[in-house]
Amino acid sequence: MGRKVTLATCSLNQWALDFEGNLERILKSVEIAKTKGAKYRLGPELEICGYGCADHYYESDTLLHSFEVLRKLLESPVTQDIIFSFFHNINEKKYLSSPGCRKVLLIRPKMTLANVGVHRELRWFSPWNQTRQVEEYFLPRMIQEVTGQETVPFGDCVLSTKDTCIGSEVCEELWSPNSPHINMSLDGVEIFTNGSASHHELRKANQRVNLVTSATTKCGGIYLYANQRGCDGDRVYYDGCAMIGINGDTVAQGAQFSLEDVEVITATLDLEDVRSYRGEESSRNNSRSGHFPRRCTTFAPAVLKDGSNAPLDKFPYEDNEVRTVLMLINLPLVMPQAGFLLPLSGGVDSSSTACIVYSMCVQICRAVDVGNSQVLADVRRVVGDEAYSPKDPKELCGRIFTTCYMSSENSSTDTRNRAQELASQIGSSHLSINIDLAVKGILGIFSAVTGMFPKFRVNGGSHRENLALQNVQARVRMVLAYLFAQLCLWARGKPGGLLVLGSAILTGYFTKYDCSSADINPIGGVSKTDLKSFLSYCVDKYQLTALRGILAAPPTAELEPLTDGQVSQTDEADMGMTYSELSVIGRLRKISKCGPFSMFCKLIHMWRDALSPAEVAEKVKRFFRMYSINRHKMTTVTPSYHAEVYSPDDNRFDLRPFLYNTRWSWQFRAIDGQVPTTEKGTSPARLHGDVD
């Protein structure tokens, strides 16, 4: 028999400024935790107001309503007899204890703020930089009236109970090279907690698992990790993955992707296991740490009993399936619509978006089958039928998803058939629309005004004419997509409209204001390589055999005339590089922070078996020339789910200029000066001072 403590952590689907809903979900999580016997409950970062408030943090209303929610939490009988940890909108952590009295025990402010990639915490918050120092914080009067306290300890402090000591990290602090848990463990803290708002990126989940595992392997102790779930009103998706670990083992973990608004996981663990684990680590005896101020409470979370959680065998994460776009499920609820419309071209990009919607339908049906009443109520609200229950994913897809193939005289039979076959297999309501009349009408207006009629290049037209004729087709499709999204259900005698889905990858080939312009673009931050992997996965997972032909076909916009009925235009020929090459270049540009010259220096080694230095130089120069010419497109792109760190989306993530001198004369001259040298087998100069 040991000294056991039952701990709870959770994943909550919190929304920015949804104070009513956020309060309900917090209380539900505490209630579930207590039902499971937990004496401590941890929640995600900024769970009261929602993490994604952005510039709403500047508004006094946000702070006021957050304190009002805090008062409701303190007054609720649900939060009694449990140490309740939650996060406020001033990016501070507060512990609440209610073993017979409502008290705020301490405020532990965040000390390391996330300010890279999609994060901008330094815009709204300031880190606490007074290590192991505490001051008194005056609580608002509305809180004083409930707790009877005027002040509460505020600072780099830990919580001591009768049985153990609890210390806190907040999100980014786990990723820091000098994480607080290291010194806290050396000062006797046995339980570490981390409330996070950590968004999903492809292949990121195991990084978090490894960080938590390594923390307790190195330091010993119990680690609780909480995370937000859902999209919180922004373009990222928080994927849950709440977990509990002890001494290098994960003993409990939540789902990475789920439709449950509230998920609580608990573990019963023996504090003596922590003490014995640490006792045999001789290196701890040679390590020193300063003393952390302690806030003491008479609450006793541990009990004497048998049994504790065993380590889990594996981590069931499925990054390959891009299920993070379950955020799509929330969109019709926030922007009240009856489903989605997608221009389906029969290519990889639009087919990926279609498969994502079908995958969403699979997840909805699974949730309904296991009795998730909230998901069923949401689906009924979207379809406008209070008696509706989805029969299967294909039937549900037909109710909420409309696809349309928009053909022109330049469209091939192959792409039309591929789009039709995929629509049939996923069950979408499919339309075939010919855009030639609209295109000719617009060109007729131009001809009537100017007396000129543009021609394609193959018919003797100039490059400008050829490009304009391609773009007018693409932009007509966007106009028609929105028209049909607004009125196609009306034409069927059904209520509501549809949200338009986009399907352009940001490193790919698209026209400004074409049918890539939409209400949301689920694949905007995903590379062509990952999309192809996803489609291959869907072939096996969902038996969508139509995808095999789509994967085998060369990517094409089909905006130029056919040759003997066959496609003569391909994306890769127009771009001057393959999508695989573009993916490598995109990663070097964003992740490795390469300019033209440093990218050339890296690529001549990476591609030395396939391309000569002169050919690499030409591809690099072509990329940066086209990148700078087309960068303005990024200012108008449809909001897309953030899935990759190399995304060039400048609206939130890639804050580079959109106006450039497109000649790049200094940089290209540096590359040209190195080509003869590297062709002789000499490595290029890596420092600017070494370049002639």
Side-chain angles (χ1 to χ4, degrees):
M1 182 174 292
R3 188 169 295 277
K4 308 296 174 60
V5 60
T6 300
L7 307 167
T9 184
C10 60
S11 296
L12 304 182
N13 184 19
Q14 305 296 77
W15 283 80
L17 304 180
D18 182 17
F19 294 100
E20 190 78 30
N22 293 347
L23 171 61
E24 292 174 2
R25 287 181 285 271
I26 292 170
L27 288 173
K28 183 177 179 180
S29 70
V30 177
E31 187 173 22
I32 294 172
K34 291 177 66 176
T35 300
K36 293 184 176 183
K39 294 296 185 179
Y40 176 93
R41 173 268 185 197
L42 173 71
E45 186 176 16
L46 293 166
E47 59 186 315
I48 286 183
C49 61
Y51 181 83
C53 292
D55 281 1
H56 288 291
Y57 287 123
Y58 292 134
E59 299 171 3
S60 60
D61 280 13
T62 306
L63 184 61
L64 169 65
H65 298 324
S66 294
F67 276 123
E68 290 171 344
V69 171
L70 171 58
R71 176 171 178 140
K72 293 283 187 182
L73 289 169
L74 286 165
E75 292 174 334
S76 173
V78 174
T79 61
Q80 308 307 299
D81 301 313
I82 188 170
I83 298 178
F84 169 42
S85 174
F86 75 98
F87 291 80
H88 209 331
N89 75 317
I90 46 178
N91 230 25
E92 299 156 351
K93 182 169 184 178
K94 295 179 173 61
Y95 289 92
L96 279 71
S97 176
S98 304
C101 62
R102 301 178 174 95
K103 296 291 182 183
V104 178
L105 293 179
L106 67 86
I107 301 174
R108 196 284 192 172
K110 193 170 181 179
M111 303 178 71
T112 303
L113 300 183
N115 209 61
V116 67
V118 297
H119 297 292
R120 301 285 184 273
E121 290 182 5
L122 283 172
R123 180 179 174 90
W124 309 295
F125 309 119
S126 296
W128 179 259
N129 54 19
Q130 300 179 51
T131 305
R132 300 181 185 85
Q133 294 186 42
V134 174
E135 60 186 44
E136 289 298 307
Y137 174 82
F138 277 89
L139 293 168
R141 288 189 178 89
M142 71 172 77
I143 305 302
Q144 293 181 24
E145 291 170 0
V146 178
T147 67
Q149 303 167 271
E150 284 192 349
T151 65
V152 63
F154 179 110
D156 189 12
C157 184
V158 297
L159 181 67
S160 288
T161 72
K162 282 186 174 182
D163 311 291
T164 188
C165 190
I166 304 171
S168 134
E169 295 182 323
V170 188
C171 199
E172 180 72 10
E173 292 171 351
L174 174 61
W175 302 75
S176 169
N178 188 25
S179 296
H181 70 257
I182 299 171
N183 287 318
M184 285 193 293
S185 73
L186 295 173
D187 194 37
V189 174
E190 296 177 324
I191 299 173
F192 312 107
T193 69
N194 188 313
S196 284
S198 180
H199 66 277
H200 173 264
E201 288 174 355
L202 298 176
R203 295 166 287 274
K204 181 183 177 183
N206 278 328
Q207 289 181 279
R208 290 193 295 250
V209 174
N210 292 337
L211 284 168
V212 171
T213 301
S214 64
T216 59
T217 299
K218 172 176 55 180
C219 299
I222 298 168
Y223 203 106
L224 275 69
Y225 178 86
N227 197 16
Q228 183 151 301
R229 170 176 292 152
C231 64
D232 193 22
D234 210 338
R235 66 189 66 200
V236 296
Y237 183 88
Y238 301 95
D239 54 335
C241 303
M243 67 187 84
I244 302 175
I246 180 172
N247 299 342
D249 292 320
T250 300
V251 295
Q253 63 182 47
Q256 184 180 14
F257 306 106
S258 173
L259 298 184
E260 296 291 339
D261 282 345
V262 177
E263 181 187 39
V264 179
I265 63 169
T266 60
T268 299
L269 300 167
D270 195 337
L271 293 172
E272 296 302 327
D273 289 341
V274 174
R275 293 157 190 171
S276 61
Y277 182 91
R278 289 179 171 180
E280 64 180 5
E281 285 188 343
S282 59
S283 61
R284 292 181 58 83
N285 299 326
N286 300 319
S287 302
R288 295 291 181 267
S289 170
H291 182 69
F292 281 81
R294 278 162 163 74
R295 174 69 157 99
C296 298
T297 175
T298 58
F299 190 60
V303 295
L304 295 175
K305 65 177 183 179
D306 294 321
S308 59
N309 284 58
L312 298 178
D313 293 329
K314 61 180 181 179
F315 308 116
Y317 298 119
E318 296 182 80
D319 255 355
N320 192 35
E321 183 176 4
V322 192
R323 295 195 301 178
T324 53
V325 290
L326 293 174
M327 64 190 294
L328 289 178
I329 296 170
N330 293 313
L331 283 175
L333 308 179
V334 181
M335 306 164 62
Q337 301 290 337
F340 308 99
L341 180 137
L342 170 70
L344 183 60
S345 68
V348 167
D349 296 353
S350 62
S351 297
S352 296
T353 299
C355 288
I356 284 168
V357 176
Y358 182 75
S359 176
M360 178 195 73
C361 292
V362 171
Q363 301 305 315
I364 290 174
C365 289
R366 286 176 182 170
V368 172
D369 287 344
V370 299
N372 190 318
S373 58
Q374 184 60 56
V375 171
L376 180 59
D378 291 342
V379 171
R380 287 173 172 173
R381 189 180 309 120
V382 170
V383 302
D385 183 351
E386 291 301 316
Y388 173 71
S389 291
K391 298 181 178 64
D392 56 64
K394 190 172 180 178
E395 181 269 338
L396 174 60
C397 204
R399 292 289 294 260
I400 66 172
F401 190 32
T402 296
T403 53
C404 55
Y405 181 81
M406 292 192 244
S407 65
S408 73
E409 60 186 12
N410 302 319
S411 302
S412 68
T413 303
D414 289 341
T415 54
R416 180 187 290 107
N417 291 342
R418 288 196 292 267
Q420 177 66 58
E421 186 180 5
L422 178 60
S424 176
Q425 290 183 2
I426 65 175
S428 64
S429 178
H430 191 63
L431 304 173
S432 183
I433 306 168
N434 189 286
I435 68 170
D436 286 334
L437 282 176
V439 172
K440 290 176 181 176
I442 291 173
L443 293 176
I445 294 172
F446 177 83
S447 180
V449 172
T450 65
M452 303 286 286
F453 202 94
K455 294 181 290 186
F456 282 105
R457 181 167 43 203
V458 296
N459 298 324
S462 65
H463 173 73
R464 281 194 295 173
E465 294 171 76
N466 194 72
L467 186 60
L469 289 173
Q470 292 185 63
N471 288 344
V472 71
Q473 296 171 74
R475 290 174 177 136
V476 161
R477 288 184 171 117
M478 184 270 287
V479 173
L480 288 173
Y482 272 95
L483 175 63
F484 276 84
Q486 289 180 298
L487 294 180
C488 70
L489 293 184
W490 167 78
R492 300 172 194 165
K494 296 180 179 180
L498 302 173
L499 288 170
V500 179
L501 297 182
S503 58
I505 59 173
L506 294 182
T507 52
Y509 181 82
F510 67 96
T511 300
K512 194 175 183 180
Y513 302 120
D514 69 354
C515 59
S516 63
S517 298
D519 295 312
I520 189 168
N521 179 7
I523 66 168
V526 185
S527 72
K528 185 77 77 171
T529 302
D530 281 326
L531 288 182
K532 287 184 175 181
S533 297
F534 172 58
L535 291 187
S536 296
Y537 173 85
C538 289
V539 172
D540 298 328
K541 179 78 171 181
Y542 303 127
Q543 288 76 55
L544 300 178
T545 56
L547 296 174
R548 292 196 180 102
I550 291 168
L551 284 166
T556 175
E558 289 194 330
L559 297 173
E560 294 189 30
L562 303 174
T563 302
D564 298 326
Q566 299 299 313
V567 171
S568 59
Q569 175 192 29
T570 66
D571 294 356
E572 293 182 338
D574 285 351
M575 292 189 299
M577 64 187 69
T578 67
Y579 275 108
S580 295
E581 292 170 340
L582 187 60
S583 180
V584 172
I585 286 174
R587 290 181 180 278
L588 289 176
R589 185 199 63 82
K590 179 60 180 176
I591 300 175
S592 300
K593 311 296 188 294
C594 286
F597 182 71
S598 56
M599 183 180 291
F600 167 75
C601 293
K602 289 181 181 292
L603 286 177
I604 57 172
H605 296 293
M606 295 173 65
W607 291 347
R608 63 180 178 272
D609 295 333
L611 298 172
S612 69
E615 290 172 321
V616 172
E618 183 54 37
K619 285 185 182 290
V620 170
K621 290 190 289 184
R622 180 173 177 82
F623 169 80
F624 276 95
R625 190 180 299 114
M626 298 307 296
Y627 165 81
S628 55
I629 289 173
N630 290 289
R631 179 64 175 162
H632 64 94
K633 295 179 181 178
M634 297 300 104
T635 65
T636 62
V637 293
T638 297
S640 59
Y641 164 65
H642 174 81
E644 275 280 20
V645 293
Y646 72 73
S647 169
D649 178 5
D650 79 310
N651 288 308
R652 291 292 178 90
F653 186 61
D654 187 345
L655 303 182
R656 288 171 170 82
F658 73 94
L659 295 176
Y660 288 87
N661 182 333
T662 60
R663 291 187 293 274
W664 299 84
S665 53
W666 187 283
Q667 296 91 331
F668 288 0
R669 190 163 59 247
I671 292 173
D672 292 339
Q674 290 298 314
V675 169
T677 302
T678 53
E679 285 179 338
K680 295 176 182 178
T682 304
S683 296
R686 299 306 303 272
L687 300 176
H688 291 293
D690 297 331
V691 178
D692 292 333

